[in-house]
Amino acid sequence: MKKEDMNIVIVGHVDHGKSTLMGRLLADTDSLPEGKLEQVKETCRRNSKPFEYAFLLDALKDEQAQGITIDTARCFFKTEKRDYIILDAPGHIEFLKNMITGASRAEAALLMIDAKEGVQENSRRHAYMLSMLGIHQIAVVINKMDLVDYSQEVFEKVKAEYLEFLKQIDITPKFVLPVSAFEGDNIVSASDKMPWYDGMTILDVLDAFECEQPHADQAFRMPVQDVYKFTRNGDDRRIVAGTIETGTIKKGDEVVFYPSGKRSHVKNIEVFNADPIELGQPEMAIGFTMQEQIYIKRGELMCIAGQKVPQTSSRIQANVFWLGKENLEPGKVYFLKIGAEKVKMEVEEVKRVINSSNLDSRVSKKFVGRNEVGEVILRTDKPIAFDLVKDIAGTSRFVIVDNYEIAGGGIITASLADENKEIREETILRNMKWENSAISMEERQEHYAQKPILIMITGPRSTGKKTLAKMLERDLLDHGRYVYYMGMGSYLYGVGADTKRSLSPNHKEQIRRLGEVANLMLDAGTIMIATATDLTKQDCKILETVVDRDISFILIGEDNPNNLAPDMQLADADYEKNIFKIKNMLKDNGNIF
């Protein structure tokens, strides 16, 4: 019978003995490769350097020279009960990003405190990050007891101070134990140097931790990494690819993709360079062919129908640990990466900022500074699919990118209603009930030699939008494209007539219906061109929610009064030049070929 697996992370302030503890564990349990211990001891002897167990892990020259761990080291370790992957996370303040990376994969943690130095800044900061990452199985290891003559008084003092801090962040450690990693006290066997302590050793503590619910038993989640279309040698497969986060999946399962809500059934489970398999399991990099061909985008979250449904919204409440050089603040555009999705994001509100070292809490602060924790509300430029940290931790975690660097990370604690919640729910229902044609989109694209797109031209009145749209339609048609122009008048006095006649016209509904018309046209494989005066950001979001395929927003005129982020902004004078630019954009995007 296969033993349990568990990931453990060891964290703590710099030089509090994390690597030494790992090295000692490996050495005292005969888990090292044969001759490794003697080899490292001999290297130290030749270099006139005292041997340290940390050198068994800190193999990089610059790490040994500086005496600090730079990246997250991993080692594999076994007891009779289970197999472990133990992660040694950096303690130095400059390497906190690396520490978060290591800790995010762990189910339990050993938090190291130097008995002589006591509780330090990073001792508090690391505990806060473990709490944020949802790791609540923690053992506090008070190390280097040999440097304080194995004093019970020192142990109790450090223990009391740290437990008081942990209480404030709702962490109750399962164990607190005194050890000397260097001397081997209470690591594998009980020490006779601390007769006042009759608790567990490190080995006992590790085996006493409880494994979390196996990922295979949770609801199925797989972020869509990409969709691959094969064409050579009669291979016409269209494969949805990604890495399974949680749950299992088998041939024939009905799947739902969020936030679009599109449904299909698994035809085959594909793996690289091998025959199809029967069952997909967590951490497998895998691909699926579908019975019903549907249009899926990178970043969607693949789930199984009938299981727990993920959250979808463009507004989230989150806890963020900020490591950026510049403050995290409202009014600036960042990128949020969750699963395989990457979207633009702004801070809507900073609700509370906490100094992770002393837990000083400030409600009135308007930004989150370096090494601070913020409780924030974030707004993304389009809906994302996710879970809350209390439900499925892996699909609740995200990072924030600022100036091409990861500047922070966090967990989603709540899904908040946004202005398009009802429209999104209607769109999801529409996609679930959609009757697919017997002609696939690939067949239409191949037949028409084009990929459908909505070209939405906007700007102030009297900027020549309609003239440009009609000339673009004529040019595309003359070159063999299937294209249709629809002006707002054609729509408002037809499909949208009831919204126009109302005493208080429902602008939001008008834009939604425009999106539905466009969605039908694009599903038929057509390039659709539409014009509208002064679209707002909210109008664009509604269209992006409703229209299930490519949209390109083109702004005409020198000004941008609504602060749109158009795909292209054009002067309103030279029609032929503007048509040339638009066609080049369509070619670059693969819409015409």
Side-chain angles (χ1 to χ4, degrees):
M1 183 178 176
K2 188 180 184 301
K3 291 193 291 186
E4 294 178 332
D5 295 323
M6 179 177 272
N7 287 0
I8 304 286
V9 67
I10 303 180
V11 301
H13 195 73
V14 64
D15 201 31
H16 277 202
K18 301 178 300 299
S19 297
T20 302
L21 174 62
M22 289 178 70
R24 190 88 212 199
L25 270 172
L26 294 174
D28 289 1
T29 57
D30 298 322
S31 298
L32 289 168
E34 187 175 348
K36 180 69 172 178
L37 181 61
E38 292 73 19
Q39 175 192 340
V40 174
K41 284 184 175 179
E42 176 60 21
T43 300
C44 290
R45 186 193 65 77
R46 286 202 311 266
N47 292 306
S48 301
K49 195 173 189 178
F51 167 76
E52 294 185 25
Y53 284 93
F55 290 161
L56 293 169
L57 298 168
D58 293 344
L60 299 176
K61 292 180 180 178
D62 55 350
E63 291 185 346
Q64 289 195 17
Q66 297 177 43
I68 56 177
T69 305
I70 293 176
D71 210 336
T72 301
R74 296 195 309 164
C75 70
F76 301 89
F77 172 78
K78 296 181 180 180
T79 66
E80 291 184 6
K81 182 176 182 180
R82 59 171 69 110
D83 296 340
Y84 293 98
I85 297 177
I86 301 186
L87 307 157
D88 171 27
H92 200 279
I93 190 169
E94 293 177 7
F95 305 129
L96 284 173
K97 291 182 188 178
N98 306 51
M99 180 264 163
I100 292 175
T101 302
S104 67
R105 299 189 294 270
E107 299 171 54
L110 301 179
L111 223 166
M112 304 281 288
I113 307 285
D114 185 321
K116 189 172 183 180
E117 287 192 6
V119 180
Q120 298 293 308
E121 183 180 22
N122 271 0
S123 307
R124 300 185 179 94
R125 195 169 276 139
H126 287 174
Y128 208 110
M129 284 189 285
L130 292 176
S131 173
M132 282 187 59
L133 290 167
I135 300 170
H136 295 292
Q137 288 195 102
I138 294 176
V140 176
V141 180
I142 300 178
N143 187 31
K144 302 191 181 182
M145 290 298 296
D146 54 307
L147 300 184
V148 294
D149 297 325
Y150 300 99
S151 166
Q152 182 180 6
E153 182 181 351
V154 172
F155 170 76
E156 295 294 347
K157 181 181 177 182
V158 174
K159 174 181 174 181
E161 178 186 354
Y162 202 47
L163 290 185
E164 178 61 29
F165 173 82
L166 295 179
K167 184 179 178 182
Q168 297 176 62
I169 55 175
D170 296 322
I171 288 182
T172 304
K174 287 198 162 194
F175 314 98
V176 183
L177 62 160
V179 307
S180 169
F182 187 79
E183 297 294 340
D185 295 301
N186 287 339
I187 305 301
V188 172
S189 55
S191 170
D192 59 4
K193 298 171 185 174
M194 291 174 278
W196 45 268
Y197 174 75
D198 59 359
M200 293 181 170
T201 64
I202 292 289
L203 266 189
D204 297 330
V205 164
L206 293 178
D207 279 348
F209 283 136
E210 297 174 4
C211 284
E212 65 181 28
Q213 180 188 13
H215 285 183
D217 295 341
Q218 298 181 33
F220 179 81
R221 297 288 189 266
M222 189 195 82
V224 175
Q225 188 72 32
D226 217 332
V227 180
Y228 299 97
K229 178 69 172 69
F230 295 86
T231 56
R232 287 188 176 183
N233 302 322
D235 187 350
D236 60 352
R237 290 176 301 163
R238 190 164 179 265
I239 295 181
V240 178
T243 300
I244 298 175
E245 181 74 34
T246 57
T248 59
I249 192 167
K250 63 185 184 300
K251 181 178 177 179
D253 279 343
E254 184 180 12
V255 292
V256 188
F257 296 85
Y258 291 94
S260 72
K262 291 191 173 183
R263 290 183 176 236
S264 187
H265 290 81
V266 175
K267 183 177 180 181
N268 276 315
I269 303 176
E270 307 277 350
V271 292
F272 181 72
N273 204 26
D275 292 333
I277 62 174
E278 295 298 319
L279 186 71
Q281 301 188 66
E283 300 185 10
M284 291 180 69
I286 211 160
F288 302 89
T289 55
M290 298 293 160
Q291 290 181 14
E292 301 85 11
Q293 294 304 313
I294 53 177
Y295 179 71
I296 296 300
K297 297 177 182 176
R298 170 186 166 89
E300 293 212 59
L301 193 59
M302 183 176 174
C303 308
I304 291 180
Q307 295 185 353
K308 186 177 181 65
V309 175
Q311 308 285 331
T312 58
S313 184
S314 60
R315 291 180 71 238
I316 57 174
Q317 182 168 303
N319 291 339
V320 173
F321 194 96
W322 191 245
L323 300 164
K325 298 172 185 176
E326 300 178 5
N327 298 328
L328 175 68
E329 56 190 2
K332 182 176 179 180
V333 177
Y334 303 89
F335 281 97
L336 182 143
K337 294 181 70 175
I338 181 168
E341 183 66 286
K342 181 179 180 181
V343 294
K344 289 182 180 177
M345 177 217 82
E346 292 186 32
V347 178
E348 180 180 304
E349 180 186 352
V350 177
K351 297 173 69 72
R352 187 165 61 126
V353 176
I354 301 169
N355 184 301
S356 57
S357 296
N358 56 27
L359 292 190
D360 174 37
S361 176
R362 284 168 282 180
V363 178
S364 59
K365 197 172 180 183
K366 300 302 180 186
F367 63 86
V368 184
R370 187 177 177 87
N371 296 325
E372 290 183 328
V373 177
E375 185 181 323
V376 297
I377 294 176
L378 306 176
R379 180 184 291 271
T380 57
D381 72 339
K382 64 178 182 178
I384 57 173
F386 56 89
D387 290 286
L388 304 185
V389 67
K390 65 182 179 63
D391 297 326
I392 302 179
T395 43
S396 80
R397 294 172 181 156
F398 62 87
V399 296
I400 299 173
V401 177
D402 183 24
N403 291 326
Y404 304 101
E405 289 186 349
I406 293 177
I411 53 173
I412 301 174
T413 57
S415 175
L416 305 177
D418 57 30
E419 58 269 34
N420 294 328
K421 183 175 185 292
E422 291 182 6
I423 292 176
R424 187 167 58 254
E425 289 175 348
E426 290 173 358
T427 303
I428 289 174
L429 181 61
R430 177 202 74 190
N431 288 341
M432 287 182 174
K433 301 294 184 181
W434 192 270
E435 290 288 341
N436 289 304
S437 167
I439 302 170
S440 71
M441 181 51 65
E442 282 80 8
E443 289 179 273
R444 293 186 193 276
Q445 290 180 15
E446 191 172 323
H447 184 76
Y448 297 153
Q450 65 185 39
K451 182 181 174 186
I453 184 173
L454 169 61
I455 302 171
M456 195 72 221
I457 303 176
T458 187
R461 295 184 185 278
S462 304
T463 50
K465 299 186 297 295
K466 292 181 182 179
T467 303
L468 173 63
K470 292 177 181 179
M471 289 180 67
L472 176 62
E473 180 190 31
R474 167 57 64 184
D475 185 283
L476 290 171
L477 183 71
D478 288 346
H479 287 84
R481 304 301 174 182
Y482 292 79
V483 59
Y484 182 77
Y485 163 70
M486 187 179 74
M488 284 300 285
S490 307
Y491 158 74
L492 285 175
Y493 291 94
V495 175
D498 59 324
T499 66
K500 185 71 174 174
R501 288 194 300 266
S502 171
L503 293 175
S504 54
N506 187 341
H507 178 73
K508 189 173 182 179
E509 175 63 11
Q510 290 175 348
I511 298 297
R512 187 194 73 80
R513 290 194 200 178
L514 172 63
E516 290 290 1
V517 172
N519 195 63
L520 287 167
M521 296 292 289
L522 270 57
D523 193 59
T526 304
I527 294 174
M528 178 173 168
I529 306 168
T531 54
T533 299
D534 288 334
L535 285 180
T536 65
K537 284 184 176 181
Q538 169 63 356
D539 295 336
C540 295
K541 283 190 175 182
I542 292 173
L543 289 172
E544 288 174 332
T545 300
V546 175
V547 178
D548 202 36
R549 299 189 184 276
D550 294 349
I551 307 179
S552 184
F553 293 99
I554 296 176
L555 178 63
I556 303 297
E558 301 292 340
D559 299 324
N560 188 0
N562 292 332
N563 294 316
L564 300 182
D567 298 286
M568 183 178 289
Q569 185 166 359
L570 301 170
D572 56 2
D574 195 332
Y575 292 119
E576 289 188 6
K577 185 177 180 181
N578 289 341
I579 288 171
F580 180 77
K581 288 181 178 179
I582 294 171
K583 288 176 67 178
N584 276 340
M585 178 191 71
L586 295 176
K587 290 175 183 175
D588 290 342
N589 293 343
N591 294 106
I592 57 176
F593 41 87

